[in-house]
Amino acid sequence: ARRSSLWVEIGVNLALLTVAVSVLDVGIFSLATRYVLEEASVDLAESAAVVVAAEVEAADPAVWPVIVEQNRKSGLKGVAIWSVRGSEVVGDAGEIDSLVKRTVASHDVYSEVVGDEVRVVAPVGAGRPSAVVTLRYPLSRVERPAWGVVAGHAFFSAGVISLFGWFLFRRNVVEPIRRISDATVRIAGGDFQTPVPADAPVELAELADALARMGGALASYQARMVEQLASLEAANLDLR
């Protein structure tokens, strides 16, 4: 079966490549943005827990409920204060007692991402903590890409790149091939002196030079054949 023209195949391949690259770029960008936002949310949650822990350290235990309520009103969720000595809980402890034990043992801030939230535990005071603060912080998420916009952008880019590729390949490849093809047809028709245009990329210029040499060789062969025929005719006349 006869294939489509060269520039059509190149244009289609460029368009498909552009669409694939555009979709891949969106996916990579979404993953990278999600990772950055998640890391930023964890850092903000840990900073908020450290600030609340400093407030708790500076306050009397009787004021802890007020601190919990104030931070809840500021937008923090699951704010709770655990008293290490009496295992007293002020506020909503949630389900992070394992982090509490780890924080008490190591005196470090711990956090974990659970679903759409970051859960953080921060120690109160230097050395062995007298209490720990726990809270939950909403996890920033990147919105799912609008695939309609992505598809529109991808196909628009594919069209522009295909058009640009068509222009370049038509000027640099298709037109030189057409001129060489026309010259080849004339050579095949017996016009061996037909000039073959070599104004083309290196590979096509080499092809044009080869065709020109072939045309010259055929012209020389034709001239020799004519001379031999003339000699034979002269010899036949002499024999008569």
Side-chain angles (χ1 to χ4, degrees):
R2 187 174 182 179
R3 296 178 60 177
S4 57
S5 63
L6 177 63
W7 73 264
V8 171
E9 292 192 6
I10 292 174
V12 171
N13 289 328
L14 284 174
L16 293 176
L17 179 62
T18 303
V19 171
V21 170
S22 299
V23 174
L24 182 62
D25 284 345
V26 170
I28 293 175
F29 178 78
S30 298
L31 290 176
T33 305
R34 178 177 179 178
Y35 174 77
V36 171
L37 290 178
E38 184 173 301
E39 289 295 312
S41 298
V42 171
D43 291 341
L44 287 174
E46 291 181 353
S47 299
V50 170
V51 170
V52 175
E55 294 178 0
V56 172
E57 182 182 9
D60 187 86
V63 188
W64 288 1
V66 177
I67 296 175
V68 169
E69 189 61 28
Q70 288 177 344
N71 282 280
R72 281 178 176 173
K73 290 181 179 179
S74 68
L76 296 177
K77 298 179 180 180
V79 180
I81 304 172
W82 294 70
S83 173
V84 174
R85 295 184 181 85
S87 298
E88 175 188 358
V89 180
V90 179
D92 180 14
E95 300 175 354
I96 48 180
D97 54 340
S98 61
L99 288 185
V100 171
K101 295 177 181 177
R102 199 185 312 173
T103 299
V104 172
S106 64
H107 313 158
D108 292 327
V109 178
Y110 279 95
S111 60
E112 64 179 0
V113 177
V114 180
D116 292 331
E117 294 180 332
V118 182
R119 293 179 172 179
V120 186
V121 180
V124 175
R128 179 173 174 78
S130 59
V132 294
V133 171
T134 66
L135 59 83
R136 299 194 304 272
Y137 193 87
L139 186 64
S140 298
R141 293 289 192 188
V142 61
E143 296 294 332
R144 291 184 177 180
W147 289 110
V149 176
V150 174
H153 171 72
F155 284 108
F156 174 76
S157 300
V160 171
I161 291 177
S162 297
L163 187 63
F164 182 68
W166 170 81
F167 172 76
L168 286 180
F169 280 100
R170 184 173 181 82
R171 185 185 67 179
N172 298 329
V173 177
V174 176
E175 284 300 323
I177 290 177
R178 184 186 61 77
R179 292 194 295 269
I180 293 173
S181 176
D182 292 343
T184 304
V185 170
R186 290 195 294 272
I187 292 173
D191 186 4
F192 301 132
Q193 299 297 331
T194 299
V196 182
D199 183 16
V202 175
E203 293 80 2
L204 294 179
E206 291 176 352
L207 174 63
D209 290 340
L211 288 174
R213 289 195 299 271
M214 182 186 70
L218 289 174
S220 298
Y221 177 75
Q222 184 184 48
R224 288 196 301 273
M225 290 293 295
V226 170
E227 291 177 359
Q228 290 176 359
L229 288 175
S231 298
L232 288 174
E233 289 178 354
N236 288 333
L237 291 176
D238 291 339
L239 292 175
R240 293 176 186 175

